[in-house]
Amino acid sequence: MQDQPAGASASASAAPDGEPQGTVLGALAQVAASDPGRIAYLDESGAVTYGGLFDAARRGAAWLARHGVRPGDTIALPLEQAPAHARRTMTFLYAAAYAGAVVLPLLPEAPLAARVELIGRFGAHWVLASGVSPVAGAQALDPRGFDPADAALDAQAPARADRGDAPSVYLFTSGTTGAAKVLLLTHRQIFDKALAVARIVGTGATARIMGPAPWPSNVGMRYLQRAHAIGAACVNVPFAETRGELAGQLARFGTTLMYASPWQMRRLMASPAPSRPLPDFTLGLIGAMVSREELRAARAALTSRLHVDYGCSETGPIALLEADEPAGPGCVGRVLPGVEVRIEGPDGTPLPAGGVGDLGFRSPWMCSDYVGNPVATRRHFRGGWFFPGDAGYLDAGGRLYLQGRTQEVINHGGLKIWPEDIEAVLRQHEDVLDAALAGIPDAAAGEVPVAFLAARAGVHGPLPPALGEAALRAFCAARIDAARVPRHFVLVAQIPRNQTGKILRGALIDAYEQARAAARAGAAEARAPGAGTGR
């Protein structure tokens, strides 16, 4: 029997003591009251219990209130990825929820100037930072002044203010097709998304869940809250680089469910097999499409309990391809209960089952706009539906199939080329570790398909004989029609990806264009009168 998620009925009723429910903090409070010794969080230095975490969050809320933080205030929270900061940052995430404050995460990969700009743009009232003066209108609070063991703060705790309909956290999208967009999630949206995932995967309170990126991070926050919404434990360690490391992690922390991007899965697959079989666990793939061949290989080498999750930040979970479900090319599984699908043709009219078009989705827990970005809101949120920019279709059985990103389709002289199809073929080459296809602007053809390859040997520079252009063209031509074979092949040290493994095609295009411009400048200089003569 599958575990019942803790707090599963919370959105339908109030807790016995009348405290707010339908929130992650509400679920955390429920477990802290009924089973305070249950483990909520595990990392290299040990465990944190639900009782200990909730006590720290309540005291953190008292400390914030003492300094003037009120419900509705926005707190800029730096997400420092050093392990030493993880527990304190987690405490303040929930302390802010307890106090009814909105969290603005400041990601470490953003330059300092960009973080300061965010503080001003979103009108943060407070910034939790050590040794700084007021920043962009926000008052600084030094987190070193807070002691989570200070029981004297218990009597000063304010009333819980984590109402389900109140804003909770700013969330930044992946930014794979341009600048990251910003969502403002309510407490209930976060909670309901977590429950939806738990129900479809069959995960409950006994689970130990690990995300593809550790907390504190934008992605890590999602899996931290997902675990605590159902009363499970969050395992917070860096993702293993090899299958041998993975075996050790699984054995040490007892992880039962972990999430990975296809790129992380490929790295594990490329590593040597461990001396002993991997402990039993479930693996969820997120972030990008995976070929049938890769799924079969991963289920044989890693775990038979491997499923594919399709969703996005704006809507939450959309479809699930279960481990034992047969799937055709591009299938991401069955659409989940509560999610509606609309497929539009070029003129915006809905298409029947089997018709390929622009995919739109609607769910009870989805957002309705991007904060401060009306242009992107009009493009993606239309008539109560969210259109992520994916093209695909539904079959008669309710299975969803993707063909690729509509914004990433390469228009080569009128021929539409979907990058994912070509990338899947290139990754079948025994000397290719990773691949990406991007459309390079071209005056005659509109766009030219260029393949970027990371070799298994990690070679960077001119293509070696084993990966010569003629050999690669022949390899592709034997598997796809000649019109879609990439025009050029470029060897790179690695394919740039975000934390969930999505390819940053814009970065590849920019680097290619810069290299091409530098080559043209060098050639022009060589042709200039007197070049190479020392004059």
Side-chain angles (χ1 to χ4, degrees), residues 132-377:
V132 300
S133 55
V135 179
Q139 293 295 311
L141 292 177
D142 190 339
R144 294 175 299 182
F146 167 63
D147 179 5
D150 184 3
L153 289 167
D154 290 337
Q156 304 170 28
R160 268 182 51 199
D162 55 315
R163 300 192 328 272
D165 60 348
S168 174
V169 176
Y170 286 96
L171 178 67
F172 296 82
T173 64
S174 61
T176 53
T177 57
K181 296 177 282 291
V182 184
L183 304 164
L184 181 54
L185 302 180
T186 67
H187 290 279
R188 186 174 297 278
Q189 285 170 333
I190 296 170
F191 182 72
D192 286 352
K193 283 182 186 181
L195 287 193
V197 171
R199 287 174 181 138
I200 61 169
V201 177
T203 308
T206 60
R208 293 191 174 189
I209 302 172
M210 177 180 161
W215 163 262
S217 67
N218 198 33
V219 173
M221 179 166 56
R222 186 182 314 163
Y223 293 91
L224 180 83
Q225 293 177 316
R226 185 176 291 185
H228 295 157
I230 62 171
C234 173
V235 177
N236 193 48
V237 293
F239 200 91
E241 295 289 328
T242 67
R243 280 185 275 176
E245 290 180 18
L246 176 62
Q249 282 185 350
L250 292 172
R252 178 179 175 186
F253 296 102
T255 305
T256 61
L257 170 62
M258 62 184 297
Y259 289 86
S261 70
W263 168 235
Q264 289 172 317
M265 177 200 74
R266 292 178 191 123
R267 277 196 318 213
L268 291 174
M269 295 288 290
S271 69
S275 57
R276 290 181 293 179
L278 291 171
D280 197 27
F281 74 107
T282 298
L283 177 63
L285 290 181
I286 54 106
M289 293 170 61
V290 184
S291 68
R292 288 181 297 175
E293 293 76 16
E294 285 186 299
L295 285 176
R296 280 197 292 266
R299 284 170 177 154
L302 299 176
T303 174
S304 61
R305 298 210 311 268
L306 185 156
H307 61 264
V308 177
D309 289 28
Y310 171 65
C312 52
S313 302
E314 294 84 351
T315 63
I318 293 172
L320 179 77
L321 179 64
E322 297 188 76
D324 56 354
E325 185 172 1
C331 183
V332 291
R334 296 181 184 277
V335 176
L336 306 179
V339 178
E340 299 175 78
V341 181
R342 177 183 175 90
I343 305 172
E344 289 189 355
D347 59 355
T349 58
L351 300 177
V356 177
D358 194 12
L359 296 172
F361 305 102
R362 186 164 64 186
S363 68
W365 45 79
M366 71 178 246
C367 297
S368 59
D369 62 2
Y370 294 116
V371 180
N373 195 337
V375 174
T377 296

Side-chain angles (χ1 to χ4, degrees), residues 7-153:
S9 62
S11 59
S13 63
D17 59 4
E19 290 186 320
Q21 274 290 0
T23 71
V24 176
L25 185 67
L28 197 157
Q30 189 176 33
V31 177
S34 62
D35 189 6
R38 187 187 305 177
I39 294 175
Y41 174 91
L42 281 163
D43 62 16
E44 295 284 355
S45 59
V48 176
T49 66
Y50 269 86
L53 179 56
F54 185 73
D55 285 346
R58 183 179 64 247
R59 292 165 185 168
W63 184 83
L64 291 172
R66 176 195 292 174
H67 285 82
V69 175
R70 299 291 179 264
D73 284 1
T74 295
I75 298 176
L77 180 64
L79 301 188
E80 302 177 68
Q81 290 186 311
H85 298 284
R87 296 188 180 197
R88 181 178 293 275
T89 308
M90 174 175 63
T91 295
F92 277 119
L93 176 70
Y94 290 126
Y98 196 117
V102 182
V103 170
L104 174 64
L106 301 179
L107 308 180
E109 57 266 31
L112 178 61
R115 282 176 267 166
V116 172
E117 188 273 334
L118 288 174
I119 292 171
R121 191 202 319 173
F122 295 106
H125 303 83
W126 312 91
V127 57
L128 285 173
S130 305
V132 300
S133 55
V135 179
Q139 293 295 311
L141 292 177
D142 190 339
R144 294 175 299 182
F146 167 63
D147 179 5
D150 184 3
L153 289 167

